[in-house]
Amino acid sequence: MTISDINETHDAARTSWVDSAQGHADFPIQNLPLGVFSVGGDQPRGGVAIGDQIVDLAALSALGVLEGLAQEAAVTASTGTLNALLAMGPEPRAALRFALSALLSDADQRASVEPVLVAQADATMHLPVTIGDYTDFYVGINHATNIGKLLRPDNPLAPNYKYVPIGYHGRASSVCPSGARVIRPTGQRKGPDDAEPSVGPSRRLDYELELGVWVGEGNALGEPIPIGRAGKHVAGLSIFNDWSARDLQAWEYQPLGPFLSKSFISTVTPWIVTAEALAPYRVAQPPRPEGDPKPLDYLWDEADQAHGAFALTLEVFIETAQMREKGIAPHKLSSGPATSMYWTVAQMVAHHTSNGCNMRPGDLLGTGTISGPDNASFGSLMEISQAGKHAFTLETGETRTFLEAGDRITIRATASAEGYASIGFGSCVGTVEERPSA
Ligand code: CA
């Protein structure tokens, strides 16, 4: 992504005849994210968010107001998944964005386009794609250091961390759109003082604040994506919550890494905020601390270093059942920037495919937990509570180390840059429930 990718669709002065789009925290006309929705049990289909509305792409494509690549993109997005659209690469996506931005900002188009809008309040959001594979990375260096300190106080970061973008293959089947039920998992737990493991509900249920990266065009098996072209294979971003059962994790993770402690559910915001929309918010990857190794050649690209990070502010809120009953506003658990990622998204893609592994359109890459340097910006309760040692107190007087039934976690993200409208991702929400007894 370069400065030339910024065009009139990013103009902060552009407004829409969709009234709710003006100053909308997430979906002003400068955003135009892609998703899949349905209304009243009808066929799921592609849509684009604008304010509190959705442009129905199937209905739009039937109007005859789109041409060429934009029309092709809208028709391709008219089915129940956007995999085929993502497979087409950036040009049709950009063409659709360009056409929609023009239609939604031109008052003369209102009469013809307004009938294809659907209120978000009336719609059910689905996953935007069929996720073939999901991989979770570990690029949040503060998180990796904080977790490492809890496990290995003398040697928090493993020696490979600064050379290898660490990741593991996760479970795609349990990735759900925001709002899905988060049922406390049952599993094997063994505390350090327990002689034997026991089976039961996790006592250390946690969230993980992450970004989700949607793969666009894939690569053939055996043909790595070079870092210089990796950006072209990224369709966009969402907010991702990698719910985690810390007690299950601590007992099961050696030697092969996370398994059932992670695969019970992950939650993602259903709107793909496209790479095109994010162009103004690209910033330089922060320089590595003095003494850290330079990334190996296959992970090094000057342009990626210059524009490979994102100016995003990430926020996490908790709201207990009691807070909801009493009308108390959600409590902010953390707020921090996304620039504490030690590796860029392009480095994640280049590394993942460096052995010849093939990415497919709609694959999902989690960044790993993104934490800032201090308690006010930690991206998990594991860090905030120091592995359960320090409880925090909410406005109701309730205390928490990990999540209890009724606790609702909401993650939000805002992209902002001087001279540009801020855009968001929608809320990534999940409410903890106990497993119903059989
Ligand atoms: Ca994770």
Side-chain angles (χ1 to χ4, degrees), residues 151-176:
L151 300 174
R152 301 174 298 273
D154 301 330
N155 181 25
L157 271 188
N160 59 359
Y161 189 86
K162 292 179 176 178
Y163 292 91
V164 181
I166 303 286
Y168 71 97
H169 289 113
R171 184 78 195 166
S173 65
S174 53
V175 178
C176 297

Side-chain angles (χ1 to χ4, degrees), residues 115-172:
V116 306
L117 296 184
V118 172
Q120 285 171 32
D122 296 337
T124 300
M125 294 306 300
H126 304 269
L127 285 178
V129 294
T130 300
I131 302 172
D133 278 294
Y134 148 57
T135 302
D136 201 21
F137 282 84
Y138 200 48
V139 308
I141 189 166
N142 294 315
H143 173 76
T145 307
N146 292 336
I147 295 295
K149 272 183 192 157
L150 294 168
L151 300 174
R152 301 174 298 273
D154 301 330
N155 181 25
L157 271 188
N160 59 359
Y161 189 86
K162 292 179 176 178
Y163 292 91
V164 181
I166 303 286
Y168 71 97
H169 289 113
R171 184 78 195 166

Side-chain angles (χ1 to χ4, degrees), residues 4-331:
S4 66
D5 295 311
I6 296 177
N7 54 49
E8 65 203 65
T9 66
H10 303 99
D11 184 351
R14 184 167 276 199
T15 56
S16 174
W17 46 260
V18 178
D19 296 330
S20 60
Q22 266 59 266
H24 195 278
D26 291 315
F27 309 130
I29 192 167
Q30 290 81 8
N31 193 345
L32 303 176
L34 298 161
V36 169
F37 73 99
S38 63
V39 180
D42 63 4
Q43 202 62 30
R45 55 203 186 272
V48 169
I50 173 82
D52 63 9
Q53 303 289 308
I54 300 169
V55 180
D56 181 334
L57 290 174
L60 182 75
S61 68
L63 289 181
V65 294
L66 297 174
E67 297 176 338
L69 265 186
Q71 171 71 2
E72 202 181 322
V75 170
T76 307
S78 297
T79 62
T81 75
L82 300 181
N83 298 72
L85 175 63
L86 298 198
M88 295 166 81
E91 285 79 15
R93 229 169 38 226
L96 179 60
R97 170 183 172 82
F98 216 79
L100 274 173
S101 180
L103 288 172
L104 293 167
S105 60
D106 181 355
D108 292 343
Q109 298 288 344
R110 181 171 189 160
S112 52
V113 177
E114 200 163 32
V116 306
L117 296 184
V118 172
Q120 285 171 32
D122 296 337
T124 300
M125 294 306 300
H126 304 269
L127 285 178
V129 294
T130 300
I131 302 172
D133 278 294
Y134 148 57
T135 302
D136 201 21
F137 282 84
Y138 200 48
V139 308
I141 189 166
N142 294 315
H143 173 76
T145 307
N146 292 336
I147 295 295
K149 272 183 192 157
L150 294 168
L151 300 174
R152 301 174 298 273
D154 301 330
N155 181 25
L157 271 188
N160 59 359
Y161 189 86
K162 292 179 176 178
Y163 292 91
V164 181
I166 303 286
Y168 71 97
H169 289 113
R171 184 78 195 166
S173 65
S174 53
V175 178
C176 297
S178 171
R181 301 171 71 191
V182 178
I183 297 170
R184 183 187 301 276
T186 287
Q188 285 198 32
R189 314 152 305 184
K190 181 183 173 301
D193 303 326
D194 299 340
E196 301 285 340
S198 61
V199 179
S202 169
R203 301 181 184 109
R204 296 188 151 211
L205 182 58
D206 199 355
Y207 63 87
E208 289 192 338
L209 158 58
E210 304 195 15
L211 291 173
V213 179
W214 299 103
V215 173
E217 196 178 352
N219 61 303
L221 182 65
E223 296 179 14
I225 298 173
I227 179 122
R229 292 217 305 269
K232 295 279 181 216
H233 292 262
V234 172
L237 303 181
S238 288
I239 304 170
F240 187 69
N241 184 343
D242 180 24
W243 302 91
S244 299
R246 301 301 180 192
D247 41 1
L248 276 55
Q249 185 178 357
W251 173 232
E252 75 172 3
Y253 87 105
Q254 297 191 68
L256 290 186
F259 182 36
L260 302 181
S261 58
K262 303 278 191 176
S263 60
F264 56 96
I265 191 172
S266 314
T267 310
V268 70
T269 45
W271 294 107
I272 300 175
V273 176
T274 64
E276 293 71 44
L278 288 166
Y281 319 101
R282 302 302 295 248
V283 291
Q285 174 68 356
R288 292 185 161 201
E290 186 126 344
D292 279 14
K294 183 183 174 186
L296 296 172
D297 282 349
Y298 78 100
L299 296 172
W300 181 263
D301 178 69
E302 295 288 349
D304 181 46
Q305 292 297 310
H307 309 289
F310 296 92
L312 303 179
T313 301
L314 310 168
E315 295 176 302
V316 184
F317 300 86
I318 187 171
E319 182 192 53
T320 67
Q322 205 182 117
M323 290 168 78
R324 272 195 298 286
E325 282 160 21
K326 294 183 173 171
I328 296 173
H331 169 91

